[in-house]
């Protein structure tokens, strides 16, 4: 049975949990936090910078959320396709995964890290730059969605897009002139594997450095 190390409020832990939920894969979850120092110690050893999620599957340890999804697609397949069989569609899936991780979650992290460094006086340059990164990513994604169709849910794109859009909208609300992106966020949050992550994370909302809004 796979063992996943992470935290239920972590976007990248969601990314690894969504495919497990979608395919009904039995797994053990080990929370990384102050109540479980042994789990944190394992992650410190397993990852070059001590980051989670980390998946242990038999004798294999997989780090980085995208690689975990790829591993699950290969070794624990199910009804959710995760990686399309068509090579061209798989390339598109991996491209969008990078967009959501690097530019949507990347923008979120810039702002969040500024608030973690100084919640009372976050670096205005970092906050501004993070917001600009998100707005540019939103505009690009809106244009892409107007011209293209997403892979079938639940795919690697779903796993990357759902947590990143969930938290991004808390940091920089998706504007009304991005209706396709707004609809995608609503669609993703309605998927049972994603809704489960949202609900499991709800008790930890007071951890959000900017203050969690009273909405999903």
């Amino acid at each position: 049975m796979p063992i996943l190390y992470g935290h239920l409020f972590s976007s990248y832990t969601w990314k690894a949990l969504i495919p497990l939920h979608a395919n009904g894969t039995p797994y053990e979850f080990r929370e990384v936090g102050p109540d479980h120092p042994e789990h944190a110690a394992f992650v410190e050893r397993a990852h070059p910078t001590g980051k989670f999620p980390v998946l242990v599957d038999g004798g294999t340890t997989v780090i980085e959320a995208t690689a975990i999804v790829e591993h699950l697609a290969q070794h624990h397949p199910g009804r959710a396709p995760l990686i399309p069989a068509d090579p061209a569609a798989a390339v598109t899936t991996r491209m969008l995964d990078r967009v959501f991780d690097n530019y949507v979650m990347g923008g979120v992290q810039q702002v969040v890290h500024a608030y973690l460094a100084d919640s009372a006086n976050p670096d205005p340059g970092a906050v501004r730059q993070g917001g600009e990164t998100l707005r540019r990513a939103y505009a690009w994604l809106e244009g892409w969605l107007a011209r293209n169709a997403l892979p079938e849910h639940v795919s690697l794109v779903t796993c990357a897009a759902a947590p990143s859009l969930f938290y991004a909208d808390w940091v920089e609300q998706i504007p009304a002139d991005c209706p396709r992106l707004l609809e995608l966020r609503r669609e993703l949050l309605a998927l049972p594997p994603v809704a489960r992550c949202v609900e499991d994370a709800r008790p930890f909302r007071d951890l959000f450095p900017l203050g969690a809004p009273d909405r999903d």
Side-chain angles (χ1 to χ4, degrees):
M1 179 186 297
I3 301 168
L4 184 68
Y5 292 79
H7 193 281
L8 293 175
F9 198 58
S10 154
S11 63
Y12 285 111
T13 300
W14 285 23
K15 186 173 177 178
L17 284 168
I18 290 167
L20 290 165
H21 296 165
N23 279 327
T25 306
Y27 69 95
E28 178 185 343
F29 185 73
R30 294 185 180 177
E31 182 180 309
V32 178
D35 293 338
H36 303 281
E38 71 281 10
H39 298 169
F42 174 80
V43 170
E44 284 288 341
R45 295 193 301 271
H47 191 281
T49 60
K51 293 181 179 179
F52 51 78
V54 173
L55 184 79
V56 178
D57 191 9
T60 302
T61 298
V62 186
I63 64 170
E64 298 297 314
T66 296
I68 290 172
V69 178
E70 295 261 12
H71 174 89
L72 293 171
Q74 289 293 319
H75 298 282
H76 298 277
R79 61 185 179 273
L82 300 183
I83 306 295
D86 176 71
V91 169
T92 299
T93 297
R94 293 182 174 103
M95 176 189 76
L96 290 171
D97 170 71
R98 295 295 79 221
V99 170
F100 282 108
D101 273 10
N102 291 335
Y103 309 117
V104 180
M105 272 313 301
V108 171
Q109 288 177 326
Q110 261 190 304
V111 177
V112 166
H113 289 164
Y115 276 83
L116 286 173
D118 188 342
S119 59
N121 296 289
D123 179 355
V127 173
R128 182 173 58 254
Q129 188 173 10
E132 289 172 358
T133 298
L134 284 169
R135 289 189 294 274
R136 288 192 64 175
Y138 293 164
W140 187 92
L141 285 163
E142 182 68 20
W144 191 92
L145 290 168
R147 301 185 302 273
N148 302 277
L150 284 171
E152 179 186 352
H153 295 314
V154 168
S155 74
L156 174 61
V157 178
T158 316
C159 301
S164 63
L165 290 176
F166 179 84
Y167 286 111
D169 192 62
W170 283 12
V171 170
E172 180 75 28
Q173 277 196 267
I174 300 170
D177 62 1
C178 291
R180 294 174 182 84
L181 193 59
L182 283 166
E183 179 55 33
L184 175 61
R185 185 179 186 272
R186 284 191 288 268
E187 176 185 320
L188 292 171
L189 295 187
L191 295 171
V194 178
R196 179 173 169 181
C197 288
V198 173
E199 290 307 311
D200 287 348
R202 200 174 292 277
F204 303 101
R205 289 191 173 193
D206 60 353
L207 297 176
F208 196 66
L210 284 70
D214 187 21
R215 57 183 171 83
D216 284 342

